[in-house]
């Protein structure tokens, strides 16, 4: 790492910690990142960043040296948390750890991203390409990667790489796990549990549908393909034959062909129950694309090598390439070199007991610094 970046990291250990605590106090559910986005924009402007704006997807965008025609590298970290809370969820420091829902996924990585943006704004280094720093929106759950889609669409023709800071500094996500998520409703005539006994019960038929779906054997082709019923609800009361019942169903795979096979089975099961005379309503709630298969491009190999070297240098542990569902699904599905890399250490992601190790913030800034330096002259 160049001397100015190394000096910057050493001088700003306390600042990144204070920034992280402030960010944790600002709720940001998917689709409702307005307050955190506004904070990020104002904070960046206060550090001297020019041209910062919030786009229609609620991404905060700081374009640095992005003159028309220059190739562009995106560095992003998502602002949203998996929790629906619109009030502060609390921040607690204890035993060298910082506890807060969403602190590691992805607020600590977001704080480090902002510190890298501050370095650009203050030092104004020359670059080999344009750099876009973006605290982005809608990565979690039914956010459906709305922010990443908008970012990639904005710079698509100029993109040379996309790096997402997300998760722990243990491994690197370079293969996109695609997914489709549905609400499936079963509707029947229902009725009174005593006087209309014998009428069809939507809950009973939904249960049979779930049982049928779980009999399916996923493709054994070397890919990882999964499916899940995550929520069921329906009915009116204990003495009512349910007229309506519904479930949330998803399937995932890191292989496009396997995704198509499991989707065909899902559609076959739906059709089987429609043939019983049932009304089945299906709503697509979210869709994340798989990555492209085949030989990796030289650009992709270069991104993976850079990520691996940075992680191993600053953690002292071997880093593995893995598949996952992240903001980088979008560029990877388009053949744009991309990787998702974590910067911190912690546990409890997607729980209210989530924490990070405070000591991991400094090496996390070093990892991010090494990644940023690939774009500097």
């Amino acid at each position: 790492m160049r001397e100015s970046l190394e000096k910057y990291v050493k001088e700003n250990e306390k600042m990144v910690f204070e920034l992280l605590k402030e960010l944790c106090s600002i709720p940001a559910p998917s689709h409702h990142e307005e307050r955190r986005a506004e904070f990020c924009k104002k904070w960046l402007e206060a550090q001297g960043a020019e041209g910062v704006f919030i786009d229609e997807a609620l991404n905060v965008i700081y374009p640095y040296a992005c003159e028309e025609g220059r190739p562009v590298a995106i560095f992003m970290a998502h602002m949203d948390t998996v929790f629906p809370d619109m009030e502060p969820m609390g921040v607690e420091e204890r035993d060298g750890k910082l506890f807060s829902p969403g602190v590691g996924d992805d607020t600590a990585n977001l704080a480090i991203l902002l510190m890298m943006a501050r370095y650009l704004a203050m030092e104004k280094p020359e670059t080999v390409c344009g750099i876009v720093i973006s605290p982005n929106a809608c990565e979690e759950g039914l956010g459906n990667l709305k922010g990443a889609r908008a970012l990639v669409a904005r710079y698509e023709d100029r993109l040379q790489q996309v790096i997402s800071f997300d998760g722990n500094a243990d491994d690197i996500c370079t293969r996109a796990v695609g997914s489709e998520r549905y609400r499936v409703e079963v509707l029947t005539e229902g009725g009174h549990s005593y006087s209309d006994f014998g009428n069809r019960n939507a809950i009973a038929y939904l249960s049979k549908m779930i049982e049928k779906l779980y009999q399916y054997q996923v493709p054994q082709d070397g890919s990882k393909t999964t499916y899940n019923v995550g929520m069921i609800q329906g009915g009116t009361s204990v003495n009512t034959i349910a007229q309506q019942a519904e479930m949330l169903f998803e399937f995932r795979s890191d292989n496009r062909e396997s995704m198509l096979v499991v989707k065909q089975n899902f559609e076959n099961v739906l059709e089987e129950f429609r043939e019983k005379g049932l009304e089945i309503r299906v709503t697509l709630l979210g869709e994340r694309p798989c990555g492209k298969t085949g030989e990796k491009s030289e650009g992709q190999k270069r991104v993976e090598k850079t990520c691996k070297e940075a992680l191993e240098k600053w953690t002292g542990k071997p880093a593995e390439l893995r598949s996952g569902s992240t903001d980088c699904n979008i560029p990877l599905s388009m053949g744009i070199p991309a990787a998702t890399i974590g910067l911190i250490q912690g546990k409890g992601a997607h729980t209210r007991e989530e924490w990070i190790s405070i000591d991991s913030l400094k090496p996390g800034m070093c990892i991010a610094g090494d990644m940023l330096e690939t774009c500097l002259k």
Side-chain angles (χ1 to χ4, degrees), residues 186-189 200 205 270-280:
V186 177
L187 297 104
T188 62
E189 63 274 16
R200 295 179 302 178
Y205 278 95
L270 294 178
E271 189 57 33
E272 178 182 325
F273 278 79
R274 286 191 176 106
E275 289 174 358
K276 298 179 187 291
L278 295 164
E279 183 180 354
I280 309 293

Side-chain angles (χ1 to χ4, degrees), residues 198-214:
N199 282 5
R200 295 179 302 178
N201 187 311
I203 293 174
Y205 278 95
L206 179 65
S207 300
K208 291 178 182 178
M209 181 185 292
I210 292 170
E211 182 181 14
K212 182 73 174 180
L213 286 168
Y214 270 77

Side-chain angles (χ1 to χ4, degrees), residues 216-221 224-227 262:
Y216 179 67
Q217 298 297 310
V218 297
Q220 302 298 309
D221 56 6
K224 182 172 182 179
T225 304
T226 65
Y227 53 82
V262 74

Side-chain angles (χ1 to χ4, degrees), residues 225-295:
T225 304
T226 65
Y227 53 82
N228 184 59
V229 175
M231 183 181 291
I232 57 173
Q233 61 184 23
T236 303
S237 69
V238 70
N239 60 337
T240 301
I241 300 169
Q243 287 184 292
Q244 186 270 356
E246 64 183 59
M247 67 172 174
L248 298 184
F249 182 74
E250 73 153 20
F251 47 88
R252 301 183 179 213
S253 183
D254 56 8
N255 180 280
R256 288 185 181 185
E257 288 71 27
S258 296
M259 277 280 288
L260 293 174
V261 172
V262 74
K263 182 175 183 176
Q264 187 61 58
N265 177 73
F266 172 60
E267 292 175 346
N268 290 345
V269 171
L270 294 178
E271 189 57 33
E272 178 182 325
F273 278 79
R274 286 191 176 106
E275 289 174 358
K276 298 179 187 291
L278 295 164
E279 183 180 354
I280 309 293
R281 295 178 184 170
V282 182
T283 306
L284 178 64
L285 300 177
E287 184 176 11
R288 297 187 177 201
C290 287
K292 287 194 170 183
T293 55
E295 184 66 26

Side-chain angles (χ1 to χ4, degrees), residues 336-356:
I336 297 168
T340 297
I341 178 173
L343 305 176
I344 48 85
Q345 295 292 347
K347 287 188 177 179
H350 289 206
T351 74
R352 293 184 182 272
E353 295 73 40
E354 186 176 1
W355 58 267
I356 68 150

